[in-house]
Amino acid sequence: MPSVFETSPTAIPITFVTKSSWDQVAEVLPPAQRQFATASAFAAKPGGYLALPAPDGAIAQVLFGLEDEGARSRDLFRPGALPGLLPPGAYRFANAPHDARLAALAFALGSYRFARYRKADRPDVRLVPPDGVEATEIDRMADAAMLARDLINTPANDMGPEQLAAAAQALAAEFGASFACIIGEDLKTNFPLIHAVGMASSRAPRLIDIGWGDPAHPKVTLVGKGVCFDTGGLDLKPSSGMLIMKKDMGGAANVLALARMVMDAKLKVRLRVLIPAVENAVAGNALRPLDIFTSRKGITVEIGNTDAEGRLVLADALALADEEKPELLIDLGTLTGAARVALGPDLPPFYTNDETLAADVARCAVKENDPLWRMPLWPPYDAWLDSKTATITNAPSGGFAGSITCALFLQRFVEHAESWLHVDIYGWTPSAKPARPEGGECQAARAIYALLSERYA
């Protein structure tokens, strides 16, 4: 996507104001502009916007309202509303918003439009990069976020396992990475859980495998859930629950976004990306409740619920990743409604037993305005996974602590990695907010990229 940044000596200034600063700002406005603001009832409320005219009728400057510094809650992405408000042209920040770097990123993210199926012109607005803000780095994060959004927003008829693999292959080719893909019946022996989930679909399941970087560098492996559509299987979802299940490959989309940032920044890692890409469909050969499958790791898994399929496909991929003993193993997936009940759509939980990693993830999440919240891998709940007829069940009865038991299930397949991080994302913005349009969303990828940049620059 073209950059929103440019250098322009005639860029129109954007002045950020708050209710507390408005009187002071108004005092130094030319009298005609001050009168125009008064006549327009501009009150400097958060999100308030006003273009002030010059004597020749052009735009002299733009006023945009932010929260006061001492406000209990501040949206650091609020400037992301500007691309949808501004007339075409080049702009610059005349004064500092709460965080100039995040405001510039929000401006870029707010320029996103999904236009594959209908005309949706991208706003013709550009921004002069604020002093001290590296436009290349902002572009890198924005491009990655837009990749994730595009993949998630594409409906399942055009984003099945084959198309997801093609998108991953295109990304690998762009950065000179290796690409491999195991398809259909070839999965049955070594990746039986991936095969079992995907076998009912007419679109064959796949295991996507990307490799990049110097083999001498530390191994970092990313695993993303790629369920391209989830009917729930024989434990069929109701229509309301199935409506946005095109987003169930959001883990894969965000892993590819993260990989794009890592490769573009040339971080010093040996990167591996694994994506089990399947469609959880309904057919005569679909997996059934109480079926038992032997996973790649040798753990037998009883199917307590066919709608708990994401953890199944991740389990085989994590087992493969773990065999290489990576320094850091990270998985992302749109996994549980329980996480949404607990924390809502905007705050994904993450899990790890590495205290240093947990602190670093939490700090980077705040720094990048990419919210995450740590939840516990609570050992007493591990017994809830016990099955009477297999090693474990994929869906414990009772309904309690669903996100935690999912994380504990996945932990059974990670044994050798030095550190493991699991993130239960939503991958979707239910209602539009500044810089975050309704639809597919990039979650956790920017925070994790910031962490990797600190460790492996």
Side-chain angles (χ1 to χ4, degrees):
M1 187 166 178
S3 174
V4 299
F5 299 111
E6 71 170 37
T7 301
S8 171
T10 60
I12 300 167
I14 298 170
T15 300
F16 295 103
V17 294
T18 67
K19 289 184 178 180
S20 297
S21 69
W22 170 230
D23 288 343
Q24 184 179 356
V25 171
E27 275 184 22
V28 299
L29 290 176
Q33 292 183 19
R34 185 165 60 248
Q35 178 58 32
F36 185 86
T38 301
S40 301
F42 181 75
K45 66 180 180 180
Y49 163 85
L50 184 64
L52 296 176
D56 63 358
I59 298 176
Q61 67 170 307
V62 169
L63 302 176
F64 187 73
L66 298 177
E67 299 87 350
D68 279 314
E69 285 289 344
R72 182 162 55 177
S73 176
R74 295 183 301 166
D75 185 353
L76 299 180
F77 272 0
R78 190 168 295 283
L82 283 164
L85 299 171
L86 296 169
Y91 296 84
R92 63 179 175 85
F93 294 165
N95 61 342
H98 295 312
D99 186 309
R101 185 179 67 88
L102 290 178
L105 174 60
F107 195 98
L109 294 175
S111 299
Y112 172 81
R113 300 291 184 273
F114 182 61
R116 178 166 176 170
Y117 299 96
R118 58 177 289 179
K119 186 176 176 61
D121 291 334
R122 184 173 182 237
D124 185 18
V125 292
R126 285 90 60 207
L127 181 68
V128 175
D131 291 342
V133 173
E134 186 183 346
T136 301
E137 181 73 354
I138 299 298
D139 278 334
R140 178 176 297 130
M141 291 188 284
D143 286 346
M146 292 175 191
L147 169 65
R149 289 173 175 179
D150 278 348
L151 291 173
I152 297 169
N153 284 331
T154 302
N157 60 312
D158 286 331
M159 187 52 64
E162 182 179 3
Q163 290 83 7
L164 182 57
Q169 187 171 17
L171 181 67
E174 182 179 351
F175 292 98
S178 66
F179 175 86
C181 194
I182 305 172
I183 303 173
E185 290 300 305
D186 291 341
L187 291 163
K188 192 170 185 178
T189 300
N190 291 318
F191 303 96
L193 296 182
I194 298 173
H195 179 267
V197 173
M199 65 186 175
S201 174
S202 60
R203 302 191 289 183
R206 286 161 166 77
L207 178 61
I208 299 160
D209 191 346
I210 295 172
W212 176 88
D214 187 338
H217 288 158
K219 293 177 183 176
V220 173
T221 301
L222 312 176
V223 181
K225 174 188 169 184
V227 177
C228 295
F229 193 81
D230 181 19
T231 66
L234 292 178
D235 287 305
L236 194 68
K237 292 178 182 290
S239 59
S240 59
M242 209 183 299
L243 185 62
I244 57 170
M245 280 300 100
K246 68 177 184 178
K247 80 169 185 67
D248 213 23
M249 38 65 70
N254 278 281
V255 157
L256 290 174
L258 176 53
R260 165 176 272 283
M261 289 186 277
V262 168
M263 294 188 290
D264 191 53
K266 298 180 173 60
L267 297 187
K268 294 182 175 66
V269 297
R270 175 57 176 170
L271 181 69
R272 190 178 192 184
V273 178
L274 296 171
I275 295 173
V278 303
E279 180 176 30
N280 188 21
V282 178
N285 64 332
L287 75 165
R288 296 165 288 263
L290 300 190
D291 279 356
I292 296 175
F293 297 90
T294 301
S295 68
R296 176 181 179 83
K297 194 172 178 64
I299 296 171
T300 54
V301 181
E302 182 181 45
I303 307 303
N305 191 305
T306 64
D307 197 19
E309 84 300 329
R311 66 198 69 182
L312 296 173
V313 299
L314 284 178
D316 271 353
L318 283 170
L320 173 63
D322 190 60
E323 291 163 12
E324 282 194 324
K325 302 179 181 178
E327 180 171 297
L328 182 56
L329 174 55
I330 300 169
D331 76 80
L332 303 180
T334 52
L335 284 156
T336 68
R340 312 289 80 80
V341 171
L343 298 174
D346 301 338
L347 186 58
F350 74 92
Y351 298 82
T352 182
N353 280 327
D354 183 331
E355 296 300 321
T356 300
L357 178 61
D360 287 346
V361 168
R363 176 176 48 78
C364 289
V366 172
K367 184 180 82 167
E368 297 302 324
N369 198 32
D370 192 8
L372 296 169
W373 193 265
R374 189 183 186 187
M375 295 273 276
L377 287 159
W378 188 243
Y381 293 168
D382 195 64
W384 293 0
L385 296 172
D386 290 348
S387 164
K388 294 178 180 178
T389 53
T391 311
I392 54 175
T393 176
N394 75 324
S397 61
F400 290 133
S403 184
I404 295 175
T405 55
C406 176
L408 291 169
F409 178 93
L410 295 176
Q411 188 181 38
R412 296 285 189 105
F413 297 87
V414 179
E415 185 178 2
H416 303 294
E418 292 182 35
S419 292
W420 170 56
L421 173 69
H422 163 62
V423 191
D424 189 346
I425 67 171
Y426 191 51
W428 191 263
T429 299
S431 58
K433 294 182 277 294
R436 294 149 292 191
E438 181 181 342
E441 190 52 277
C442 185
Q443 288 186 316
R446 288 187 296 102
I448 297 170
Y449 168 67
L451 167 74
L452 298 179
S453 295
E454 290 180 0
R455 293 189 175 191
Y456 305 111

